[in-house]
């Protein structure tokens, strides 16, 4: 069974602190996706990591991919309240057809002053 | 404005009464998909379509049907809704399956009593 596991599922941080969200996946995929969802809203694409060693950064968020370890990380630097949201990683199932996207359960991030 | 639209946004219905949730995109995207989001389970893919007349099952297709007669539209059909289909549904589209640019619709909150 294909799995995408995130941890932690809940994260309460203080502003200014750093933290990392981990995403383990079970496929042999060489790409990984990160999304953000604000409360009551739809999902927004953050990053797509296309190869081993890929690193992408936008603002205070940096994502990386290690395909050998089947691990992606989303690092938060000097958190601010605006980053409060739920973050999902997703992997694509290439075993059957190309289209099946498998999401982790999400990490709900709360940044407190 | 590039967007994915869904209708209705909210729907309360009764068991067994057929319903259709429409999804439309104005970006000429080839790839479209449907997800359901449930607390504690994250997002799960229901069906996806690589192009017109090409559809395939995702992780949780039971109880749902889709069609892709035109590139822009990808309706989700519940022939005989049941309470376990109460959920938040998202439609998404992208130029191709691996594209970074994946656009999600605003969501449809369905309650089946």
């Amino acid at each position: 069974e294909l799995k995408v596991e995130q941890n932690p599922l809940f994260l309460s941080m203080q502003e200014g602190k750093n933290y990392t969200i981990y995403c383990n996946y079970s496929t042999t995929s060489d790409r990984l996706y990160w999304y953000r969802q604000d409360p009551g809203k739809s999902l927004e694409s953050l990053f797509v990591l296309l190869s081993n060693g890929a690193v992408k950064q936008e603002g205070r968020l940096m994502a990386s991919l290690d395909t050998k370890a089947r691990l992606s990380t989303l690092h938060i630097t000097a958190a601010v309240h605006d980053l409060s949201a739920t973050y999902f990683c997703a992997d694509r199932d290439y075993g059957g057809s190309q289209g099946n996207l498998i999401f982790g359960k999400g990490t709900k991030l709360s940044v407190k002053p | 404005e590039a967007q994915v639209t869904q209708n209705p946004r909210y729907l309360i219905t009764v068991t067994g009464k057929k319903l259709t949730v429409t999804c439309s995109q104005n970006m000429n995207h080839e790839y479209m998909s449907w997800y359901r989001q449930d607390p504690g389970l994250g997002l799960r893919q229901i069906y996806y379509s690589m192009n017109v007349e090409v559809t395939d099952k995702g992780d949780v297709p039971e109880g749902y049907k889709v069609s892709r007669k035109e590139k822009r539209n990808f309706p989700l059909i519940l022939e005989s809704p049941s309470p376990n289909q109460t959920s938040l549904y998202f439609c998404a589209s992208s130029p191709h399956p691996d594209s970074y640019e994946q656009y999600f619709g605003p969501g449809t909150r369905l309650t089946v009593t």
Side-chain angles (χ1 to χ4, degrees):
Chain A
E1 180 189 351
L2 299 172
K3 288 184 179 178
V4 177
E5 294 182 341
Q6 290 181 236
N7 71 84
L9 297 182
F10 298 93
L11 178 54
S12 181
M13 297 176 63
Q14 279 193 311
E15 281 191 329
K17 298 291 187 182
N18 304 332
Y19 209 84
T20 300
I21 298 170
Y22 297 88
C23 176
N24 289 92
Y25 59 96
S26 63
T27 71
T28 56
S29 174
D30 61 354
R31 56 200 63 199
L32 198 288
Y33 306 80
W34 284 96
Y35 296 88
R36 169 181 171 145
Q37 185 180 34
D38 293 304
K41 303 287 187 180
S42 188
L43 279 85
E44 172 191 356
S45 293
L46 286 177
F47 303 109
V48 58
L49 303 166
L50 296 175
S51 61
N52 186 41
V55 176
K56 290 202 172 177
Q57 181 163 7
E58 183 165 333
R60 301 174 188 273
L61 299 177
M62 183 174 72
S64 65
L65 180 62
D66 180 345
T67 57
K68 293 178 182 176
R70 299 182 186 175
L71 172 68
S72 181
T73 60
L74 181 66
H75 186 72
I76 303 154
T77 302
V80 293
H81 180 71
D82 284 353
L83 290 180
S84 296
T86 299
Y87 294 86
F88 293 93
C89 62
D91 184 23
R92 193 170 293 282
D93 175 13
Y94 287 100
S97 301
Q98 285 190 355
N100 193 0
L101 197 62
I102 301 169
F103 282 81
K105 292 184 179 181
T107 297
K108 186 172 183 179
L109 172 65
S110 175
V111 181
K112 301 182 187 305
Chain B
E1 181 191 352
Q3 61 182 353
V4 178
T5 57
Q6 294 178 226
N7 282 292
R9 296 287 314 279
Y10 303 90
L11 178 61
I12 301 174
T13 190
V14 296
T15 298
K17 186 176 181 182
K18 181 179 178 179
L19 66 92
T20 299
V21 184
T22 64
C23 173
S24 183
Q25 49 94 4
N26 62 0
M27 296 164 279
N28 202 38
H29 286 169
E30 290 188 353
Y31 179 81
M32 297 185 75
S33 60
W34 276 104
Y35 301 87
R36 62 178 288 174
Q37 184 175 24
D38 301 290
L41 297 177
L43 279 95
R44 294 176 292 169
Q45 195 167 34
I46 303 170
Y47 269 95
Y48 60 92
S49 170
M50 304 284 258
N51 213 326
V52 176
E53 302 292 1
V54 180
T55 63
D56 208 347
K57 297 177 181 178
D59 271 342
V60 288
E62 295 79 18
Y64 304 94
K65 285 175 58 177
V66 293
S67 68
R68 187 94 181 270
K69 295 185 171 59
E70 307 166 277
K71 201 170 190 178
R72 63 181 292 128
N73 296 324
F74 190 44
L76 180 69
I77 304 157
L78 285 73
E79 294 268 2
S80 183
S82 62
N84 65 13
Q85 293 178 297
T86 293
S87 187
L88 178 58
Y89 291 87
F90 289 103
C91 178
S93 77
S94 61
H96 56 80
D98 282 339
S99 173
Y100 165 74
E101 299 172 32
Q102 179 143 197
Y103 294 82
F104 280 79
T108 295
R109 186 166 293 281
L110 172 66
T111 302
V112 183
T113 62

